[in-house]
Amino acid sequence: EPEVTQTPSHQVTQMGQEVILRCVPISNHLYFYWYRQILGQKVEFLVSFYNNEISEKSEIFDDQFSVERPDGSNFTLKIRSTKLEDSAMYFCASRDLAGITDTQYFGPGTRLTVL
Amino acid sequence: AQRVTQPEKLLSVFKGAPVELKCNYSYSGSPELFWYVQYSRQRLQLLLRHISRESIKGFTADLNKGETSFHLKKPFAQEEDSAMYYCALSNSGYSTLTFGKGTMLLVSP
């Protein structure tokens, strides 16, 4: 069964550095998402992406964040200048059909640690 | 603003006991409600959604609009049900999910 994959599984970086988190959604899916979960807190929506553009974003997704689908298979989340509070688990998800009842499939997550 | 509340961080039961994981939501429109599960060292996966009115692994959940609840129930818990359970609400055409904080279910032998 196809799965969403994410790399790396764990990323450690220094405060102020740029990081790129990578995701490979399921191949025929059209909608892509990033969520994050700070330790001990709830999973929070960051951004959704469809038709090569951002379709929705949360207040968390400020100018330090960007997303890209550079080559038709990868879906990346870039944080330009990391802060300590960006330390979290970042989940990518994808979905194939329109309509809010269709399932989002999640990747295993990337744990980002900002020192 | 939409909100999902799961009041219990941890629910510990014995095998064979009934289980009810509570979920309440706040949303002005007509929400779609989901339960996601995360087993140890595994990814988040959909358990069930209210519109399907299905039973998965013995779990059911009924949307009660009057009480704005979507509690997850199972009559006889099994050890393999031990996991983190998240209630989620979908509120837009792009299906962004709003999650509750999650409830850890521990089923002891």
Side-chain angles (χ1 to χ4, degrees), chain B residues 52-67:
Chain B
S52 301
R53 303 184 69 81
E54 57 200 345
S55 174
I56 303 292
K57 301 184 179 183
F59 285 97
T60 59
D62 290 318
L63 180 61
N64 186 324
K65 290 187 178 180
E67 295 182 358

Side-chain angles (χ1 to χ4, degrees), chain A residues 28-54:
Chain A
N28 63 337
H29 284 189
L30 302 175
Y31 297 83
F32 314 112
Y33 308 83
W34 282 102
Y35 294 84
R36 78 171 185 191
Q37 185 177 30
I38 295 171
L39 187 64
Q41 298 187 26
K42 65 175 69 176
V43 177
E44 300 173 291
F45 166 72
L46 292 178
V47 65
S48 60
F49 192 85
Y50 170 70
N51 200 27
N52 284 319
E53 60 183 22
I54 291 173

